[in-house]
Amino acid sequence: MAVLELVRENTPINPPLLPALQRRIEEQFSPRWKDTWGGRFVLHGKQPGSNAVRLDGNDYLGVTGHSDIVSAQVDALTRSSEFVVQSGVFLLQQHPMRSLEVALATWVGKEDGFVCQSGYAANVGLLQSIADANTPVYLDSFAHTSLWEGVHAARAPAHAFRHNDPEHLDKMMERKGAGIVVVDSVYSTTGAVCPLKEMVEVTEKHGGMILVDESHSLGIHGPAGSGMCAELGLTDRVHFITASLAKAMAGRAGFFTAPASLRYHILSSSYPNIFSSCLLEPEVAGLKATIKVLQRADAERARLKDVTRRVRSTLADLGYWIHQGTEQIISLEAGTEPDTMRLRDELEKRDVFGAIFCAPATSRNRAMVRLTLNSNLTDAELDHVEHVAREIAPLVKPWDWPIARRMRSIGAQAS
């Protein structure tokens, strides 16, 4: 036994890394860790306590723990079932996953759909199936990383156009030809809304297809929460709709729509669908119940809009430059990572918890604390958030942040 212990003590736990990897870590990551972040992970701050106001989640309408959803999950866990966990490509029409896919497609007004392990997997898998090396893909410069990775997986040429700028998209498509236009309905870092109607018109003008990621608008916009495309009457003009089901749906999955005629093409070409197992039965049951909960959540949608207007108005009045968005996602763009960490720390000292977003989720030196509002926030909690924002403003000086200077410069040039 003593010999075995001696061997364990003198045996490295891990074999050596490649020298090239070690060099890359030392050159690219270590300075960021030691100098920029001060030896602590940029995304990890203080542990929230019982009095914390949590603005760091995505459950926009407060459905977590809803009795209808929990009951459906418990029932699925406890009943005897023939549910088989296998790759999605094997699922027949009678499988509960297919019922969920049809329910989601019907909700957003489309013919058919696919459920994936995540919103990331949905975007990668769809683009992998509909684009190739000869298909130009035009992405809004703020499009979610999963959309860019989908283009990469398809080996397709990616062309970025200026954020929310249909005129720039029009010029690019004139030069490079018909292809796939990729936008988010609501952008995940700023809460900015896409000018969807204009984007659709440009796409149609050039004979292209358009993909709209509704991750942050599904459940929030449209009749019965059916999304931004439905709200604007564009559903029948949009080719593909995708969404993470981890936002207003508060689950763990992703979804995309497609014409029924493409079903077996996608099941033969979308790697996330081919090489990932389906969801578990309690997840499927919970998501199906969540659709019904969200469809009747008009009061919660109205409350979220009221909360959003109130907080955005207060922050703007206090000098926080948040005018780049309008929705429940609010970006406090402090700029550098050290400044953003300081902003986060000042908020957390006072029991307000947001989430830091930085490269690669944002451009370099455009780091931010993202505040995510929800319909369950009480007036007392909103009072506290506003009090804290007012108290720390002289400390963090939002009027001196790079975005404030840029926007003032743009305003001066325009005048």
Side-chain angles (χ1 to χ4, degrees):
M1 192 65 165
V3 173
L4 286 175
E5 292 299 329
L6 181 62
V7 169
R8 288 194 187 106
E9 288 178 7
N10 293 312
T11 301
I13 296 175
N14 296 306
L17 302 175
L18 283 173
L21 173 58
Q22 293 176 321
R23 284 195 301 273
R24 181 155 58 90
I25 291 171
E26 285 302 314
E27 293 171 3
Q28 299 177 20
F29 177 74
S30 293
R32 197 179 185 195
W33 174 266
K34 296 173 185 175
D35 303 329
T36 306
W37 299 348
R40 57 179 180 145
F41 188 39
V42 62
L43 304 185
H44 292 173
K46 176 183 170 185
Q47 179 68 32
S50 58
N51 293 324
V53 181
R54 300 292 298 270
L55 305 179
D56 57 344
N58 295 319
D59 183 4
Y60 300 134
L61 299 178
V63 302
T64 299
H66 191 286
S67 58
D68 291 357
I69 300 170
V70 173
S71 294
Q73 292 169 324
V74 170
D75 183 53
L77 276 169
T78 56
R79 70 170 179 255
S80 176
S81 173
E82 295 297 322
F83 191 99
V84 176
V85 178
Q86 56 187 171
S87 168
V89 299
F90 294 113
L91 303 183
L92 302 178
Q93 290 296 326
Q94 293 77 18
H95 196 283
M97 272 276 289
R98 280 298 290 141
S99 176
L100 173 60
E101 290 175 339
V102 171
L104 286 163
T106 301
W107 186 23
V108 301
K110 283 298 189 181
E111 188 177 30
D112 199 0
F114 298 77
V115 169
C116 305
Q117 289 283 348
S118 66
Y120 191 103
N123 282 336
V124 170
L126 173 60
L127 280 162
Q128 187 180 52
S129 293
I130 63 174
D132 63 13
N134 299 312
T135 310
V137 183
Y138 304 94
L139 302 102
D140 186 289
S141 58
F142 277 28
H144 194 270
T145 296
S146 59
L147 296 163
W148 291 91
E149 286 300 299
V151 177
H152 177 73
R155 307 294 193 268
H159 305 288
F161 61 89
R162 286 192 293 269
H163 177 50
N164 275 352
D165 191 339
E167 292 183 1
H168 188 219
L169 171 63
D170 186 25
K171 292 176 182 176
M172 292 188 72
M173 294 188 80
E174 282 180 0
R175 294 197 308 270
K176 301 181 184 297
I180 303 169
V181 175
V182 176
V183 296
D184 291 64
S185 55
V186 174
Y187 285 89
S188 61
T189 53
T190 64
V193 173
C194 175
L196 265 181
K197 183 174 181 292
E198 291 81 359
M199 295 295 185
V200 168
E201 289 171 348
V202 171
T203 303
E204 291 173 338
K205 173 183 174 182
H206 296 282
M209 300 190 300
I210 186 166
L211 181 163
V212 179
D213 185 328
E214 291 240 40
S215 293
H216 300 279
S217 53
L218 182 63
I220 308 303
H221 288 267
S226 51
M228 186 79 73
C229 294
E231 180 174 289
L232 299 176
L234 296 171
T235 303
D236 61 343
R237 298 167 65 186
V238 169
H239 297 77
F240 306 97
I241 294 172
T242 73
S244 164
L245 304 184
K247 313 307 178 189
M249 292 281 290
R252 186 195 64 84
F255 173 70
F256 64 85
T257 71
S261 61
L262 292 185
R263 180 159 195 86
Y264 296 107
H265 162 70
I266 288 170
L267 290 180
S268 302
S269 57
S270 170
Y271 282 13
N273 291 86
I274 297 170
F275 297 109
S276 297
S277 293
C278 66
L279 306 184
L280 302 178
E281 186 174 15
E283 295 175 310
V284 173
L287 289 168
K288 283 194 70 177
T290 303
I291 295 172
K292 295 179 181 178
V293 169
L294 291 180
Q295 285 174 331
R296 59 178 187 263
D298 287 343
E300 289 78 7
R301 281 184 277 275
R303 170 65 178 169
L304 180 61
K305 286 181 171 56
D306 289 342
V307 166
T308 299
R309 280 192 292 267
R310 171 177 168 175
V311 175
R312 280 190 170 276
S313 176
T314 299
L315 289 174
D317 289 345
L318 291 172
Y320 292 86
W321 197 273
I322 59 170
H323 309 290
Q324 68 270 36
T326 59
E327 302 304 293
Q328 71 274 6
I329 299 165
I330 299 177
S331 165
L332 304 182
E333 191 181 310
T336 68
E337 290 174 0
D339 285 344
T340 305
M341 293 172 75
R342 184 182 180 216
L343 168 63
R344 185 267 314 280
D345 292 344
E346 294 295 342
L347 288 167
E348 291 186 354
K349 282 179 190 175
R350 297 160 177 83
D351 284 326
V352 174
F353 286 76
I356 282 186
F357 276 48
C358 60
T362 69
S363 302
R364 188 171 176 272
N365 288 328
R366 294 200 68 170
M368 63 186 68
V369 172
R370 190 180 80 167
L371 306 180
T372 306
L373 306 178
N374 66 78
S375 62
N376 279 352
L377 289 166
T378 66
D379 287 340
E381 287 174 322
L382 296 173
D383 289 342
H384 180 69
V385 170
E386 292 170 340
H387 170 77
V388 169
R390 185 174 295 107
E391 184 176 287
I392 69 170
L395 303 176
V396 299
K397 297 181 173 56
W399 42 84
D400 286 338
W401 289 346
I403 187 172
R405 296 196 296 270
R406 283 196 302 272
M407 299 309 294
R408 283 197 295 268
S409 175
I410 291 171
Q413 292 173 13
S415 60

